[in-house]
Amino acid sequence: MLFGIAWDTSSNWTFAVSILPILLRGLWVTVQATVLGFFIALVLGLVWAALKMVPLKIVSWPAAVITEFIRDTPLLVQLFFLYYVLPEYGIIFPAFLTGALALGIQYSAYTAEVYRAGLQAIARGQHEAARALNLKSVRTFTHIILPQAVPRIVPAMGNYLVSIMKDVPILSVVTVLEMLNVAQIIGDRTFNYLVPLSMVGGIYLIMTLVASAGVRFVDRALPKRGIPLK
Amino acid sequence: MTEPIIKFDKVIKRFDTFTVINELDFEVQPGEKVTIIGPSGSGKSTVLRILMTLEPISGGVVWVDGEPLWHEKAADGSLKPASEAHLHRMREKMGMVFQQFNLFPHMTVRRNITEAPTQVLGVPKAEARERADQLLDMVGLRDHADKYPHQLSGGQQQRVGIARALAMRPKIMLFDEPTSALDPELVGEVLGVIRRLAEEHDLTMLLVTHEMNFARQISDRVCFFDQGKVLEQGKPEDLFTAPKEERTREFLKAVLEGN
């Protein structure tokens, strides 16, 4: 029994059917961690990108060093650091939040590059024309630069969304009851790993396909007329 | 002589250690059509970019319409570096046409023209659209208002660029090599629009170009730039037929033979 739901081990098929609701509980946690981690990666990545594009070295350099450091150390190390070291200094987050934070921080270093590439792909002439026409800098960013940058950014961000989802099982090592952890517990208790782990794989496949289709849908729905895309 | 509308007073512009504009003194009278010619790297485009506030100056003072462009008058009468608000106000006097057109690719032709008047000058949308259509009429592109820039030829795009700059009702129009990025057969239609502008309006026009025949026809004065200074200037008939300086003669010979 897990989450108050019992399983039926009489055959692999009845077993699969009976544990599906339990795995879906785990999936719900996986989805939540994905969404929260992605949100943190999007926001924090934009902050890094903005800092890295500041012409002052004292601002851009630390941001570059930090993101390089994040990218060059394993997610698992960062996760352990947040989970085991921060509490020693009195900073205690629930496991789920720690996990989502670790995912978000790790991927923010990658999304920062996506933002930067997307924004810098806009020709300098666009900024100059906006300035010559006396458009305010906020208006220039929101109505001239961003509409041209977003279609370049969305596909790459979609790939990172899928990657984050596939990295969520790492959170199982800090006791987060996401889908893989749930499957492993079921396996430990029933000595049948084949069924729950196969189901996790299958569900992941479906989720990845759904997420990719979602990203493609968003990408297609974006207004792209006239924007030169590579 | 009236008060000049543009006045460069010992203006210096350096990029790192390279001096592009070297203690330049240069004046333009209101309504005057001035063409700047010269070899590449002579600083001619930089003059326009300084005026449009796209490049800050390294020294000297630029005056536009009686006010310092890159400076503001402090309480004690001395000049201090201009604030963004001052630059914003000064930019209203000028419009610029770029070599690469720089139209906004995600906006229709009409939206390209109405964006700044509605956002910056607060012109009501309907009025801005009407004005855009008039300007498109003037540049011969009324039927293309709802198209996107990529659907137009280079010459058409540049004519939209001219209409877009005019929509802000500038006193001074700056043309930075407006036909240099165009296929030869499209140059004429753009020059035609600029010519009409020069003939029919009292706009002050400053044009950087390699089209010597055109410069000769529309300019009140031609300035030959060399090494960040005006080496020689005069009426087009004088400068083109009897240049005084050796460098000017060499340049004109090279350019005219190339044509």
Side-chain angles (χ1 to χ4, degrees), chain A residues 27-48:
Chain A
L27 175 64
W28 177 231
V29 175
T30 299
V31 169
Q32 286 177 308
T34 304
V35 170
L36 185 58
F38 188 53
F39 178 76
I40 294 168
L42 286 181
V43 174
L44 196 57
L46 189 57
V47 174
W48 297 135

Side-chain angles (χ1 to χ4, degrees), chain B residues 13-20:
Chain B
K13 172 66 191 178
R14 277 184 224 98
F15 290 109
D16 292 324
T17 55
F18 178 62
T19 304
V20 193

Side-chain angles (χ1 to χ4, degrees), chain B residues 212-225:
Chain B
M212 295 302 151
N213 282 329
F214 181 71
R216 189 172 188 150
Q217 290 161 16
I218 69 144
S219 315
D220 300 317
R221 177 159 55 106
V222 178
C223 299
F224 176 70
F225 265 63

Side-chain angles (χ1 to χ4, degrees), chain B residues 85-103:
Chain B
H86 175 78
L87 293 176
H88 185 84
R89 201 168 53 76
M90 294 300 286
R91 274 197 292 268
E92 283 187 1
K93 302 173 192 295
M94 292 168 280
M96 185 156 179
V97 174
F98 298 89
Q99 183 178 348
Q100 300 293 340
F101 330 137
N102 296 348
L103 297 182

Side-chain angles (χ1 to χ4, degrees), chain B residues 3-176:
Chain B
E3 185 74 9
I5 192 164
I6 298 170
K7 185 174 183 211
F8 279 60
D9 185 3
K10 300 231 177 319
V11 171
I12 300 168
K13 172 66 191 178
R14 277 184 224 98
F15 290 109
D16 292 324
T17 55
F18 178 62
T19 304
V20 193
I21 301 285
N22 190 8
E23 296 206 4
L24 173 67
D25 291 316
F26 176 63
E27 288 184 7
V28 178
Q29 299 299 319
E32 201 181 7
K33 324 298 182 205
V34 177
T35 302
I36 299 176
I37 60 170
S40 64
S42 60
K44 52 197 196 307
S45 282
T46 309
V47 168
L48 301 195
R49 294 174 57 79
I50 286 172
L51 283 167
M52 200 62 256
T53 74
L54 301 177
E55 299 286 358
I57 53 176
S58 316
V61 182
V62 178
W63 298 83
V64 172
D65 207 13
E67 288 184 78
L69 177 65
W70 283 101
H71 300 83
E72 279 177 89
K73 282 197 176 114
D76 63 355
S78 66
L79 293 179
K80 55 174 188 175
S83 63
E84 182 53 36
H86 175 78
L87 293 176
H88 185 84
R89 201 168 53 76
M90 294 300 286
R91 274 197 292 268
E92 283 187 1
K93 302 173 192 295
M94 292 168 280
M96 185 156 179
V97 174
F98 298 89
Q99 183 178 348
Q100 300 293 340
F101 330 137
N102 296 348
L103 297 182
F104 303 131
H106 59 300
M107 295 180 175
T108 62
V109 164
R110 189 187 281 114
R111 182 78 199 286
N112 261 279
I113 299 171
T114 58
E115 171 71 12
T118 52
Q119 289 305 316
V120 181
L121 305 178
V123 176
K125 270 208 177 109
E127 199 183 315
R129 286 173 65 94
E130 203 173 304
R131 166 98 173 125
D133 287 351
Q134 283 170 9
L135 287 164
L136 285 172
D137 247 341
M138 198 198 85
V139 300
L141 292 170
R142 180 65 176 265
D143 299 337
H144 301 273
D146 295 312
K147 289 189 180 168
Y148 285 80
H150 74 279
Q151 296 170 296
L152 305 179
S153 72
Q156 291 170 327
Q157 289 191 44
Q158 191 59 296
R159 286 187 276 156
V160 175
I162 294 170
R164 182 175 70 172
L166 288 173
M168 294 298 280
R169 300 185 184 276
K171 288 184 178 179
I172 303 164
M173 277 289 278
L174 309 168
F175 295 89
D176 186 10

Side-chain angles (χ1 to χ4, degrees), chain B residues 185-203:
Chain B
E185 76 270 22
L186 302 175
V187 168
E189 62 189 63
V190 173
L191 293 184
V193 168
I194 299 173
R195 183 197 315 269
R196 203 136 33 81
L197 215 53
E199 286 165 359
E200 295 171 9
H201 297 265
D202 58 356
L203 274 170

